[in-house]
Amino acid sequence: MSKYSFLIISFFVILSASSCKRHKMHKKDIVAVDTLASQPMKAEKPVLVIDEGNKVETSKKEVETPSVAKIDVKPAEIDFKYLNIKSKVNFSSGGEEQSFPVNIHIKKDSIIWLSIVVGLEGGRGIITKDSVIFLDRLHRTYYKYDFASLSKQFNFNLNYDLVQSILIGNMPIKKRETDVVEKQDGNFVIKQKEGFVRIENSIAEANLKLQKVNASDETGDSKMEIDYSNFLTITDLIFPQDIKAKIDAKKDGKVLQTSINLQHNKIEALDQSPGFAFSIPKSYVPK
């Protein structure tokens, strides 16, 4: 199991940010959508006035011009204590293809634990607020990263919340007051900018769930698309079972296409911890 495979499984948001080059669900009955139209704004229009001495002067007269309606939407997010998820990952890039199962345990806003088991456990990873660590059990090595250095490397604010949101179908970057919201074909589109990356989030009007994320760098050389589908309702929470990411990135004048499909086959919302056992054996070598 390669280092790249580990990154793909739980951390493909980082791969997406790299490709782009610098680039609570609350219960349904408490989610509200409001469309607010502001009052018409007055603008001054120049008017020509000719006086008795045939002198031409310019005065200003107030006229009313309609303003653009402001759309206020609150995307539905998954709220939980613990999650136990069994998934399958399909990955293809540059002629390489891999497929493997992964077990994921999440403690909300705290820990993401992963295990790849194909007969025997091939790898284990843990993501916390501060760091990302992966054990390659086949080669007895481990990889350790911290979010501060990763953010600096990619010139993109990478953090735990971003990874958690990608895995469960919340908006990767929470909606901000400065974000632009538009209505398009039955969806709300929330437009954001983070560093050199432009992001569009498509939110379904029917249930306010995230359906699609499009991101691209300012040069247009790299872009990413994430689709969420096959939604499942569990104890009043709506989860996407299928997450499909497509990444196009230019490298050496050529476009490298990467496809990552994550299929959640089992999702449990728990009140008790599913377990987060993790340690680095003394015999393992850092890479």
Side-chain angles (χ1 to χ4, degrees):
M1 194 70 63
S2 67
K3 165 189 173 183
Y4 196 48
S5 299
F6 285 115
L7 291 176
I8 292 162
I9 298 165
S10 64
F11 217 42
F12 65 80
V13 64
I14 287 181
L15 297 179
S16 303
S18 174
S19 297
C20 284
K21 289 185 180 178
R22 324 305 184 212
H23 100 46
K24 287 157 162 195
M25 171 174 104
H26 297 297
K27 292 183 180 180
K28 291 180 287 184
D29 58 346
I30 65 173
V31 177
V33 181
D34 298 313
T35 301
L36 305 177
S38 56
Q39 295 296 323
M41 298 177 62
K42 292 184 177 181
E44 293 184 336
K45 179 179 180 180
V47 178
L48 288 180
V49 178
I50 302 178
D51 65 7
E52 292 181 354
N54 295 325
K55 292 181 180 179
V56 179
E57 296 180 354
T58 301
S59 66
K60 294 182 179 179
K61 179 180 179 181
E62 289 188 344
V63 295
E64 289 190 352
T65 57
S67 62
V68 178
K70 178 182 178 182
I71 301 175
D72 188 17
V73 58
K74 185 178 181 181
E77 295 192 347
I78 295 173
D79 192 9
F80 63 94
K81 290 183 179 180
Y82 297 97
L83 291 178
N84 177 29
I85 305 173
K86 295 185 182 298
S87 304
K88 181 180 180 181
V89 178
N90 292 300
F91 161 76
S92 64
S93 180
E96 178 186 359
E97 294 187 6
Q98 294 188 42
S99 179
F100 40 80
V102 57
N103 296 329
I104 305 171
H105 296 171
I106 303 177
K107 180 181 179 181
K108 184 186 175 184
D109 300 336
S110 181
I111 304 172
I112 299 173
W113 176 95
L114 306 107
S115 175
I116 304 168
V117 179
V118 184
L120 299 175
E121 186 178 54
R124 183 176 294 193
I126 194 163
I127 302 172
T128 65
K129 287 286 187 176
D130 300 320
S131 62
V132 182
I133 306 174
F134 294 99
L135 303 180
D136 182 345
R137 294 201 180 281
L138 299 181
H139 301 95
R140 304 180 70 82
T141 58
Y142 70 93
Y143 307 88
K144 186 173 183 178
Y145 311 87
D146 65 83
F147 284 113
S149 60
L150 287 169
S151 296
K152 185 177 180 180
Q153 178 182 350
F154 296 132
N155 195 21
F156 189 92
N157 184 23
L158 300 170
N159 53 62
Y160 173 93
D161 295 334
L162 198 64
V163 181
Q164 179 178 275
S165 295
I166 290 285
L167 290 174
I168 64 178
N170 289 344
M171 274 181 56
I173 298 176
K174 289 186 180 295
K175 182 179 176 294
R176 302 166 293 199
E177 288 296 326
T178 55
D179 296 339
V180 175
V181 182
E182 298 178 355
K183 186 80 174 294
Q184 297 179 8
D185 300 326
N187 290 332
F188 297 103
V189 178
I190 301 175
K191 298 183 177 182
Q192 302 174 309
K193 191 171 185 297
E194 184 73 13
F196 294 93
V197 180
R198 298 185 183 277
I199 305 167
E200 291 190 358
N201 307 271
S202 294
I203 310 295
E205 184 177 6
N207 58 11
L208 298 182
K209 287 298 297 180
L210 179 66
Q211 306 286 314
K212 183 188 293 286
V213 179
N214 284 302
S216 60
D217 68 358
E218 291 183 335
T219 67
D221 288 343
S222 303
K223 60 183 180 179
M224 174 193 70
E225 180 180 294
I226 304 176
D227 286 290
Y228 296 91
S229 62
N230 194 17
F231 289 88
L232 178 68
T233 301
I234 302 175
T235 60
D236 295 329
L237 304 178
I238 303 178
F239 291 84
Q241 289 184 278
D242 294 322
I243 304 172
K244 298 180 179 180
K246 295 180 181 179
I247 304 165
D248 292 344
K250 278 190 177 180
K251 184 177 181 181
D252 300 328
K254 297 181 179 180
V255 177
L256 175 65
Q257 295 184 331
T258 300
S259 175
I260 305 162
N261 295 342
L262 185 64
Q263 183 179 51
H264 295 329
N265 299 313
K266 180 181 179 181
I267 304 172
E268 292 180 303
L270 307 173
D271 291 325
Q272 301 296 323
S273 172
F276 298 90
F278 190 90
S279 63
I280 302 175
K282 292 182 179 180
S283 61
Y284 279 42
V285 178
K287 300 292 285 186

